[in-house]
Structure formats: structure tokens, C-alpha cells
Amino acid sequence: GAAPARTEFAMSLDPTQTRDDQALLAEVAETVRRRYALPLERAPRNELYHALAEAVMARLAGPWLNTRERIAASGRRRAYYISLEFLMGRTLGNALLNLDARVEAEQALAALGTKLGELEAEEPDAALGNGGLGRLAACFLDSAATLRLPLDGYGIRYERGLFRQTIEHGDQAEYPESWLAEGNPWEIRRPDRAVRVHFGGRTEFDSEPDGSLRARLVDTEEIVAVPYDTPIPGYRNGHVNTLRLWSAQPLLDFDLKAFNAGKHDKASASRIHAEAISQVLYPDDSHQRGKELRLRQQYFLVSASLQDVLRTWVEQHGAAFDDFAARHCFQLNDTHPVLAIPELMRLLLDEHRLGWDQAWAITEECFAYTNHTLLPEALETWPMEMVDHLLPRLRDIIVEIDRRFGEQIERLFPGEGHRLERLAVIEQNPSPRVRMSHLAMVGSHSVNGVAELHTRLIREHLLKDFYELWPLKFTNKTNGVTQRRWLAHCNPGLSGLITEAIGDRWVTDLAQLEKLVPLADDAGFRERWREVKQVNKQRLAALVAERCDVVFPPEALFDAHVKRIHEYKRQMLNLLHAVHLYQRILDGDTDGMTPRCILIGGKAAAGYHRAKRIIRLAVQIAKRVNGDKRARELLAVAFVPNYNVSAMEVICPGAELSEQISTAGKEASGTGNMKFMMNGALTIGTLDGANIEILDAVGAECFFQFGLTAEEVAKLRENYVPEEIIQRDEHLKRVLDAIQQGSIGGRKSDHYDDLIGSIRSPSDPWCVAADFDGYRRAQQRAAEAYRDSQGWQRMSIINCARSGRFSADRTVDQYASEIWRIGPIEG
Ligand code: 26Q
């Protein structure tokens, strides 16, 4: 006979455990028994992880429901972050931290001889994003919940997130990542909140009794959008927001009709076509490829999300829309969700029968747009033809938006045809296309860049004509990262030391870290700081040993360069420098050389050939250097495969030098730079993105700055002759020649003429040759500085101490007060 699980475990409990631990363990035991028909002692790790996650979800349920009710009852304005990407990473550790239940969970598991860390490792990353833009969305959700702000996220529940990267025969290979295979304990499916999204068809107009015309779409393809909700808990405050992700499904009865008619192929084809929408995240982070499926994803997300919001509004307030704009704000994460602007117009005009002027006033007041890139190849434009075919009613609305905007420009700047062409939402030549950033500008009350330099470049170049038109729409919101995940959770050693020194208020008020500044002069504190870093370096070295089979000696300088692979991020500069150091070693020019471990990681977009070649070169250099006994004590190079959020949680605590070396004017902000800084790494970097603000915060003595400014890059490119620079720089010449002569090794054909040729070319947009000497010298300064351990620890402490302004709490607070106009909901 089976005794109730609770009693069985109550008897085996350790008497030193607190009641909470016992309750948690009993819950886990019961779940293991109920879900898997197993006794606790025989539950495999993955089952234990799922049972623990379920117990955590159960604790979130009450506050979650409560928060939703308090927000609804408050009648206050709410904001929504609409994004094609949310790069959440793992949830368990963060949820335990925010619920203050970590110790309890550790103790509960101790009774089973299981480490919490082992269960955490069972969780796959939710990698529903490519990189910075998607991770920023995740950090913002954490900060908003911590600030008790009513901010929910809307996104797509991709069946497959960003691909898993392996290295095979020196090249990147991509594998699908089935993050949902074992089930996702953090989501709740809400079929009752499903909505229908229509594609294709044509518009018909009915005459209304009042003589007006009403548009109606007919012969459309209908897709069902089913929402899945994930709780977003604030830090120990009882506030829980929602991330709502949409999954695409076929309309069942339609499918069934075909099936019953014996048209099995047709039925399954329609199912596959529908489900394709939420099948996979596009792995491009810097290139617009204009694929129709991508446009379908964008429309699917915004139509489902807006229908959801409007339905909730009508349920609670009836059909009056006078207050709607005062109660809603939608932040558009880059141009990817910008179809929300014409879609809200469509819903207000066609479904809710508002007039154009009222609908437009609401739209403008509700939307705000964030730009994340200046790269021309990343700017989205869609062929009018495709929009017409896929979204005929939206096409009409976009044309009307453009026509009215054109009239306004003609009134303000009569006869300035060129200005009108430059500003138009629909570009005419060579063929009609919708410029998504212009649609965003016209339909939003706010546009922001993500770092001071970036915002200035938007004002002065990218959207100059709009800035002349509406200067007050433009603001800067320098990015930030959440210190809960990026310090408290991922670096318990440093967190403990900081809290011991200055208390724990920094967890929700990062400016508190300033109190560490005086401790930079305390030799005892510096020594403890060094010891913590040393332990984190060992953890990082273990990861490198396991994933790359490379030895990182713990006394060497740990130098980390992790981010998506792109030419503008200049991983090449780092690789050229690695070869230079290797050549010095072969020359015996090693006097005063600092032992260094270079870690490089990042994924290349599947179709970005050059980026994949850069990975290959990195892997070959690593193989050559690590295989040479002469380099053993002085240099190690590793390319770590499958860089992702959970890898960064090990990398940033163990890094000492942070590589932020993009061509000035190209990296909008960067956020990895902030994570490294917060964890006490020093930056070697260009005057680009938020690096400039980091330099301003720490001072030139604590930052290894080099390279051209954005203005100098623009100027130089008018008459750039890299070959002259190369001939005058013996080090650079030697490195380039060696790589081209094939002395790095690999296959016979590995001379890298493509990569090196582009560096030698006058049209190299990234000016690699121009910045090499400055970079090499900055690296030399870093290496020398590292030899003074006391001095280095001092600078490391200063970097952490001055990282307060890079908390996403500060950023979100600025969005809330200056753009969203929302305030905290009382507990
Ligand atoms: C566009 C069209 C079609 C398919 C894909 C895309 C696409 C997807 C993702 C284009 C761009 C992205 C991602 C961009 C991104 O991550 N930008 C980064 O945003 C960070 C947060 O603001 C900044 O810190 C980085 O500087 C910026 O590169």
C-alpha cells in the first residue's frame, strides 16, 4: 500500500532543516510521485529539476494573479514591450533569487545529496533571440518587475530558438535547438485567449447605414495565435509581470473539413504552413534578407498582441476609445514589430469603427520606437508587392499614412521634392518598398537610440530629416543590464564580498556600488577581491577545458571577446594580435611578456560567409598556438563553441580584460561591455557605443582606449589606403603575410585571401589596418598593467564600483518616466 508521499518524506527529513525546506522538499516529492510515478530517491536529475520548477511556479501563482488584479484595479497606464526576440536564458536560478528561495532549495536538495547547481544545469536556455537586442528585452522585463512597473512583454514562442553551434573540422555547424523537447515548466498555455490572424485575401467594402464604407477582408488564410504566459517576478517584492508568447496553429475546423473530404495532403499542408510561422527564430542579427516568412512572423506577432490588448480593453471598458491612449503604450523593439502601427489603425478603423483622425491620434500617442542599429544593410524595407500580397488591407493603410504625411511635408516645405523623397514612408526607386524606420518615425511619439553616441548619430545622419522635422521626438536611453542576473546570480563570490563590505542595497540600487571606491585603496580588500576572481577564473578555465580541451593557466591574464561574429565587431583585430604575440614568442621576444589566455566566442549568422570564415581562422590559430610547446606558458587561445546566456554567466565573472573593439560608430551600444565591467573586468575598447560612457565613468587610467573616433573613421574612408599603413607597420605586415602564406595551417587552401584581402582593400569599411597599431599598443599597456597585481585589482574594483549607471533599472526608470509615463503599482 502506498502511504502519502508527504508522510514518507516527513520521516526521512533532517531535523536541522527549517519548516520551509521541509515544505519545499515535500512538494518536490509529491510532484515526482504524481508526475513520474517515482519515489524521490530514484528520480533522475531532469525529473527533479521539473518538480522543483513546478514548486517554484506554484509559489509565483498567487503574487502573479494578485499583480494582474492590482494593475487592472488601479486604472493606470500600462506599457507593453513588443519584440521579435526575448533572450531569456535559464529561469530557475533567477526565479529562486528573486523569490529569496535559493537557500531553502539548496537545503531541501541537500537532504537528497543533490546540488542545486546540477539541477540548474538541466534547464535548456530559452534562446528566443540572437544577441544584444533580445537580451536587452529580457533585462528590461526583470528591471520593470523589480520596479513594480506594469510592463508586459509580447513575443513569439518559437519552437526552435537560436541554433546550437558546434565546430566540425574547424567550421561552424548549426543544429536545431529543441528547447521545448522535455516540456517547459515556466509557461502556461491559455487557449481561451487565442485570437485569429488573417493573411492574404482581398478587401471588400460594405456601405453602412450612415453612408460610410466599411472595409472587410475576404478569402483570407486564417491562423490561430495561442498565447503562452511566463511569469516575470520582481526582486523580492511580490510583483509578477507577464511575458506572453504566441504560438501559431491552424484553424482546426478548416483542417478537418479538408481531412474529412479525404484531402489528407491538403489538410496536413495547411497545418504545416500555419505552424511554420512560430517554427524558428531567424538567426540573422545584422542583415535584412526580406523573406516572406519573416514578414508573416512580424504581422502574426503584432496582430495577435494588439487584438489581445483591444479585446481586454473592450471587455473592461466597452467600445469607447477616448481613454485608450492614456492607458496604453507600446515600445517597438527596433523596426521588427513596426507593422503594429498600421495594424492598430486597421483594428480601430475596420473593427471598432473609429474615424481616421481619432484612430491616428491614438496610434501616435501609443507607440514609441527604439533604434538599435546604424548599419545600412540591417535597415528593414519590404517590397510593396509582398506587403500587398500578404497584407492587402495594411498596404492600403500604409499608402494612406504616406499620402497624408507627404501632404504635411508639402505644406511645411513647399517645393522641396528631394526632401519629400528622402522622408517618404514608401521609397519609389528602383521599386516601391516600405521603409520601416520611416513608418516607425511617422507613427510614434518617441524615438530613442541606445547610447549617447548612437543617439547623436541617429540625429545627425540616419534620421536627420526627421530630426529637423520633430526634434522633440528624439531622446537617448543608454542601455543597461540587470545586476540580479549579471552579478548577484552569476557571481555569488563577488556578490558576497560586496554585500559584506557595503550591504545588499546594490541589488536594487546599483549606484550603491560607489561605496566600494574607497576600498580600492584597502590592500586587504584588494586581496580578497583577487581571491574571488581567482576562483571564478578556475570555473571559467574548467568550462574551456571541457568545451575546447584547452588549458587556461589560472595565473595568466584572462582576456575575453564574446559576442555575435561580425566584421564590424572586429574579431579579426583580436586574431591578428594573437598571431602577433605568437610571432613574438617564436622570435624569443618574450622579455616582460604577460601570460595571456584569449577566449573568443560567438555565433555567425548561417548565411554570413565571412563571419564563418572568421570562426575558422580563430579555430586554426587556437590549434596552432596551443599545439606549440614554445607558447605553452605564455599564450593560450580558445574558441568556445555555442556561446549563449548561460555560458556568459560563467565567462563574465572569470574575465579580466573585456574586448570591445568595434569600428567606431558601428556598435549602437553593446551590453556585454557592461556585464564585464560590473564583474570587475577592465575594458580594452574603442570610442564606440556605450564604451564612451564606460570610459567616462571609470576614467582613462582604468580603461585601455585606442582607435579612430567615429568622425575620423568617416573622414579616413574618403581616402583610405591600408596598403600604406601595412608597409609602415612591420608587425602588421608580418602577421598578414604569415596568414596569407598559409603558415597558420589548416587545409592546403587556408590562406584566408578573402579575410586578409578585405583588410588590404581601400574599401574596407571596418578600417582594421588603421586601428591595428593603436590596438597592439593598448594591449601592451594592458599586459604591463597586469604585472602590477595591486594596481590591477585597484582598477578592477573601480570598474565595478562605477558600473552603477549601467543597471537596466536606471534605463527602465528613464523609459517609464520619459516615454511610457507609467509609475509603480503599490504592493
Ligand atoms: C532583421 C530582419 C530580418 C531578420 C533579422 C533581423 C534582425 C534581427 C536581430 C536584425 C537585427 C537584430 C539584432 C540586432 C541587435 O542585437 N542589435 C544590438 O542591440 C543591442 C541592444 O540595444 C546593442 O547593444 C548592440 O550594439 C546592437 O548591435
Side-chain angles (χ1 to χ4, degrees), residues 85 130-134 136 282 284-290 294 298 334 336 371-373 378 380 382 450 479 568-569 666-671:
E85 308 196 5
N130 275 286
L133 165 149
L136 186 74
Y282 273 88
D284 303 71
D285 71 325
S286 53
H287 205 86
Q288 209 244 318
R289 285 171 213 280
R294 171 76 178 180
Q298 296 184 346
D334 214 295
H336 317 155
N371 173 285
H372 296 266
T373 187
E380 282 192 294
W382 291 100
V450 293
N479 284 167
Y568 86 79
K569 294 176 188 282
K666 305 298 175 199
E667 188 70 272
S669 162
T671 44

Side-chain angles (χ1 to χ4, degrees), residues 75 121 163 237 254 275-277 298 314 327 360 365 405 459 574 599 634 718 757 783:
F163 63 85
N237 63 1
F254 175 83
E275 289 173 351
I277 293 179
Q298 296 184 346
V314 171
R327 302 282 205 85
W360 186 248
E365 199 178 331
F405 176 57
R459 287 178 173 136
N574 191 351
L599 178 70
L634 286 170
E718 292 168 12

